[in-house]
């Protein structure tokens, strides 16, 4: 199981700040979350960045070990 934490617009679209899911990769996680929460979150996920255990994830097909925390970060305005 993974812990997924949603921030900013991702939190609003998901309707929660965190949840646990069972997914093997970030690509699989994206599909699962979009199916679970609908089109609004699916749109956010298309442009979101993902941190896997606090490290930027650039390979969305890499394995996510059990117990991993994934942060979903939508694009932020400003800098």
């Amino acid at each position: 199981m993974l812990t997924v934490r949603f921030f900013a617009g991702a939190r609003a679209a998901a309707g929660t700040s965190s949840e646990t899911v069972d997914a093997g990769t970030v690509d699989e996680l994206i599909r699962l979350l979009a199916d679970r929460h609908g089109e609004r979150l699916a749109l956010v996920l298309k442009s979101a960045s993902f941190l896997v255990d606090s490290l930027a994830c650039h390979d969305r097909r890499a394995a996510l070990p059990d117990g991993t925390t994934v942060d979903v970060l939508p694009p932020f305005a400003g800098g």
Side-chain angles (χ1 to χ4, degrees):
M1 293 298 282
L2 310 172
T3 299
V4 180
R5 299 187 304 185
F6 300 98
F7 293 88
R11 179 177 36 228
T16 186
S17 61
S18 67
E19 64 184 87
T20 57
V21 299
D22 188 17
T25 66
V26 171
D27 279 340
E28 185 180 332
L29 176 65
I30 290 169
R31 286 189 299 275
L32 185 146
L33 293 173
D35 288 345
R36 184 178 288 182
H37 294 284
E39 185 63 24
R40 187 172 172 206
L41 183 59
L43 289 172
V44 172
L45 294 172
K46 286 181 181 181
S47 58
S49 297
F50 299 88
L51 300 181
V52 176
D53 288 337
S54 300
L55 298 174
C57 176
H58 300 289
D59 181 1
R60 294 185 177 191
R61 292 177 285 167
L64 296 173
D66 194 40
T68 297
T69 297
V70 179
D71 295 331
V72 180
L73 306 170
F76 294 94

